[in-house]
Amino acid sequence: MSLKIDTKCLHIQNKEESDCHYGAISYPIYQTATYAHPEVGKSTGFDYSRLQNPTRQQVEKVIAQLENGIDALAFSSGMAAITALMELFKYGDHIITDADLYGGTIRLFDNINVKNGIEFTHIDFTKSEPENFIRENTKAIYIETPTNPMMRVTDIEKVSKIAKEHNLLLIVDNTFLSPYFQNPLNLGADIVIHSGTKFLGGHNDTLAGFIVTNREDISEKLRFIIKTVGSGLSPFDSWLILRGIKTLAIRMEKSQENAFEIVKYLQSEPKVRKVYYPGIEGSQGYEICRRQARGFGSMLSFEVESAELAKHILKYTKLIPFAESLGGVESLLTYPCTQTHADVPEEERIANGITDCVLRMSVGIEAASDLVADLKYAIDSYDGYKGRYI
């Protein structure tokens, strides 16, 4: 029986592979570091929790199922997942990446991986053809879609064809839309990345990261890497992600519904110069996103008329916290230039559109009218001419 994605969030397709001990509906937390063996040459399938743990194995099965992959690996954070992924590459390899990526990813690439001899070319996939930047030593293309925070949309299927023609890996960070709205493996990607901290967990209470693949050779290499570097997800955090995924479908639908209401308000606000959201009809990437995804998500960014107004909004919203991260049930406002992208060189950050007038919003599941009222209060309370609170 083929299950709908809403059902996959709650049930493993093959029931025989789930835990049958005592009939527990909530999968147990196997809080153990090591496992006893019946005798030499015989094993329960588990030896040491750095290698594998039943609770972690369960969340990996769920994520693999949601992304239609053959394997998923759970890491202690999204950055731990990307760090382990980069161990697939060696000194002298070249990777083409989107210029607009999460600041932590850029920091890893430009400071750690470059130091280790990996070369990167950052391009705007909405303006440049990746094929023009392929070299003899190019090994992969790395994208986010939509991007963080400027919400640019890349045609995954188009880029996957280019990658396959040149024997390159296509890696897609699918954090913003989650497997509920988008499945890059179905569109030709080889590897999917998730910060499980975000929509998969959904409650701003745990850190996690995932790598999903549909290739046996990649799975085998990554399994060796995760047991060697020791960055696997803990049993308790694995359980928190399992619990979060149970409500993924209804959270994504509600937060997206709210996002549309907030976009509508922001577009009508004179002090807002521009709104970045892939669900705006006629915007960059709208048609691509509609074709390759089942929704537009609940992440948006907007540019206000001045840096002073941006800072005022962050100070004077009463309901929406000024905080990093995204994807939880609570709405959050982030200031990319001093938070998520603080380590990105200013010239590069501004070239990507991330000025001190840009705010990013992760829309939660509160009443949309309350969120709009909170934003309206903060914006209306600013006297742009006197630069003070009214």
Side-chain angles (χ1 to χ4, degrees):
M1 178 174 65
S2 179
L3 302 179
K4 300 290 187 183
I5 193 162
D6 312 53
T7 308
K8 286 181 179 181
C9 290
L10 294 161
H11 301 282
I12 289 282
Q13 192 115 6
N14 185 351
K15 194 174 181 180
E16 292 178 1
E17 292 184 2
S18 63
D19 185 272
C20 297
H21 293 226
Y22 313 113
I25 298 300
S26 176
Y27 197 88
I29 305 170
Y30 285 87
Q31 193 63 51
T32 182
T34 192
Y35 308 81
H37 303 294
E39 59 182 276
V40 175
K42 290 188 178 181
S43 172
T44 60
F46 297 93
D47 302 308
Y48 190 58
S49 281
R50 174 164 50 78
L51 282 69
Q52 192 51 284
N53 173 279
T55 316
R56 190 166 89 217
Q57 178 176 271
Q58 182 73 358
V59 76
E60 289 174 341
K61 287 178 179 178
V62 171
I63 298 296
Q65 176 176 260
L66 291 176
E67 281 289 13
N68 301 317
I70 62 165
D71 194 15
L73 296 88
F75 293 84
S76 57
S77 69
M79 288 311 304
I82 300 171
T83 301
L85 174 68
M86 296 310 293
E87 293 300 323
L88 291 176
F89 305 100
K90 66 181 187 303
Y91 184 93
D93 285 349
H94 173 247
I95 300 172
I96 300 168
T97 79
D98 201 303
D100 184 35
L101 297 175
Y102 166 56
T105 305
I106 295 172
R107 181 173 58 235
L108 174 71
F109 290 171
D110 290 354
N111 293 278
I112 306 300
N113 300 133
V114 165
K115 172 180 67 68
N116 294 334
I118 299 174
E119 302 170 12
F120 294 89
T121 299
H122 306 300
I123 67 170
D124 183 343
F125 278 74
T126 67
K127 297 177 180 178
S128 303
E129 290 295 332
E131 202 161 18
N132 296 333
F133 299 88
I134 295 173
R135 310 175 188 167
E136 286 186 9
N137 60 335
T138 304
K139 302 298 180 184
I141 297 174
Y142 186 106
I143 61 173
E144 294 173 354
T145 183
T147 60
N148 181 1
M150 302 311 293
M151 307 305 296
R152 296 172 188 155
V153 178
T154 300
D155 189 327
I156 299 173
E157 197 166 22
K158 176 184 174 182
V159 176
S160 75
K161 289 176 181 176
I162 294 170
K164 284 176 171 53
E165 285 172 7
H166 295 272
N167 197 29
L168 309 178
L169 293 177
L170 175 58
I171 303 161
V172 181
D173 186 325
N174 195 31
T175 297
F176 268 21
L177 287 185
S178 89
Y180 180 74
F181 280 138
Q182 182 171 263
N183 297 120
L185 296 179
N186 292 1
L187 299 165
D190 301 289
I191 296 169
V192 171
I193 293 281
H194 282 283
S195 173
T197 308
K198 313 305 193 292
F199 290 104
L200 296 175
H203 291 78
N204 291 320
D205 59 7
T206 189
L207 299 177
F210 293 92
I211 301 177
V212 193
T213 185
N214 53 9
R215 286 178 46 174
E216 291 283 358
D217 59 331
I218 294 174
S219 168
E220 185 177 341
K221 290 175 183 176
L222 289 171
R223 283 287 163 197
F224 178 81
I225 291 167
I226 195 172
K227 80 172 183 179
T228 303
V229 302
S231 53
L233 191 61
S234 73
F236 183 65
D237 289 326
S238 296
W239 181 83
L240 284 173
I241 299 296
L242 280 171
R243 185 181 64 167
I245 290 171
K246 289 183 178 182
T247 59
L248 177 65
I250 57 174
R251 285 188 288 106
M252 295 304 293
E253 290 288 354
K254 173 59 176 174
S255 58
Q256 177 179 247
E257 178 185 315
N258 283 351
F260 274 105
E261 292 300 312
I262 290 166
V263 165
K264 189 189 305 181
Y265 158 67
L266 291 172
Q267 287 182 308
S268 71
E269 172 54 59
K271 293 176 184 176
V272 174
R273 290 176 180 165
K274 189 166 185 180
V275 183
Y276 302 91
Y277 180 64
I280 298 173
E281 193 167 352
S283 65
Q284 185 282 317
Y286 172 78
E287 291 297 337
I288 298 171
C289 198
R290 192 173 70 161
R291 184 176 71 246
Q292 71 186 13
R294 295 177 291 274
F296 300 102
S298 57
M299 294 300 302
L300 61 95
S301 294
F302 58 101
E303 181 183 356
V304 294
E305 62 185 13
S306 68
E308 290 73 25
L309 174 56
K311 293 171 185 175
H312 179 90
I313 293 168
L314 295 171
K315 183 176 180 179
Y316 286 101
T317 49
K318 294 179 177 293
L319 181 66
I320 308 165
F322 167 30
E324 295 199 46
S325 200
L326 58 102
V329 290
E330 303 92 354
S331 295
L332 300 176
L333 277 170
T334 298
Y335 198 35
C337 70
T338 65
Q339 291 183 302
T340 57
H341 291 68
D343 291 332
V344 177
E346 184 179 11
E347 184 179 337
E348 185 179 333
R349 176 171 55 76
I350 292 174
N352 285 330
I354 309 169
T355 69
D356 54 8
C357 298
V358 170
L359 297 172
R360 189 191 73 184
M361 185 171 182
S362 172
V363 182
I365 65 170
E366 304 93 339
S369 57
D370 290 334
L371 295 173
V372 169
D374 196 34
L375 287 169
K376 186 173 183 350
Y377 169 81
I379 293 173
D380 288 350
S381 66
Y382 180 74
D383 183 345
Y385 295 100
K386 297 179 181 179
R388 63 178 177 83
Y389 174 70
I390 297 175

